[in-house]
Amino acid sequence: MVKFISLGGGSAVSASRIISIVTPDSAPSKRLIQEARSKGLLVDATGGKRPSLY
């Protein structure tokens, strides 16, 4: 059975596909995000908006 995680905004992803959840605040996180994006491995569920941490 596949377990899905809700990302909000009507989006969901298979739990087995999640490797990491990061905030784009630090330089190492930004590098990881760019690398994953260039390899086609990134699922960006922000909709272009900065996520609220509150």
Side-chain angles (χ1 to χ4, degrees):
M1 183 161 120
V2 179
K3 183 175 181 179
F4 286 95
I5 306 289
S6 174
L7 302 176
S11 299
V13 67
S14 172
S16 64
R17 304 270 320 212
I18 296 175
I19 297 169
S20 175
I21 299 173
V22 299
T23 57
D25 294 337
S26 67
S29 291
K30 289 178 184 180
R31 284 192 296 271
L32 285 172
I33 291 167
Q34 275 306 112
E35 185 177 330
R37 181 175 279 130
S38 68
K39 291 180 179 179
L41 301 174
L42 179 70
V43 175
D44 184 355
T46 62
K49 298 178 184 176
R50 183 169 173 89
S52 172
L53 300 177
Y54 306 108

